[in-house]
Amino acid sequence: MLLPGFTAAAIALLVAGGYEPAHLALRERRAYGEALASTYYRLGHVLADYRRESVRPPVLAIGDAGAIPYYAGLHVIDTYSLNDPAIAIAGRDDPAYVLDQGPDLVAVVSEQGREFHAHWANRHDGPLFEPRARAACSPR
């Protein structure tokens, strides 16, 4: 008797005001997933071409690696901690750990198109970008 009453109350709340926010959240998540699938599929294939032209396979550091390692055939340091045991198990998720592994390529997400502004959800992208940008701009 309690379960049917709870179920009816939950449905009433959903109908009263929870449907639209939930629908918008699901639509946003789906759009994010579709954008990643499209972008990462293309990036994976571009990096596969780059790998074939390289003397040795480059190492890529990227958060939210998704399908890139699969399509590119590269060793990837997943800065979001999902594919690296030292990060996922031991908690070594600091940018210094990632950079100490000497990635050849570092991919970061920017909120702006012309200059780098780290996205709030990607807490490591700023610290990963700054040392690489300084190194790329300094004379060798």
Side-chain angles (χ1 to χ4, degrees):
M1 173 121 161
L2 192 56
L3 185 59
F6 178 75
T7 303
I11 290 171
L13 282 172
L14 202 81
V15 170
Y19 172 76
E20 190 59 30
H23 181 69
L24 290 174
L26 288 174
R27 191 172 4 168
E28 183 179 288
R29 296 286 183 178
R30 182 177 180 165
Y32 174 74
E34 289 172 352
L36 279 183
S38 171
T39 303
Y40 284 19
Y41 173 84
R42 289 191 311 259
L43 181 56
H45 282 86
V46 167
L47 290 171
D49 292 341
Y50 179 77
R51 176 185 48 84
R52 283 190 284 277
E53 295 170 8
S54 298
V55 175
R56 66 173 182 77
V59 175
L60 170 67
I62 187 170
D64 213 357
I68 292 173
Y70 176 78
Y71 290 114
L74 298 178
H75 171 72
V76 173
I77 304 163
D78 186 346
T79 62
Y80 281 6
S81 77
L82 301 176
N83 297 324
D84 187 304
I87 297 173
I89 297 169
R92 280 297 313 269
D93 67 345
D94 56 292
Y97 168 75
V98 173
L99 295 175
D100 285 348
Q101 294 183 68
D104 301 295
L105 305 165
V106 177
V108 294
V109 176
S110 175
E111 291 185 334
Q112 302 294 319
R114 300 225 180 255
E115 60 183 56
F116 180 76
H117 291 275
H119 187 273
W120 65 268
N122 303 341
R123 65 187 176 106
H124 293 310
D125 284 359
L128 287 172
F129 176 79
E130 297 303 327
R132 288 298 196 166
R134 280 194 300 274
C137 294
S138 65
R140 298 187 189 258

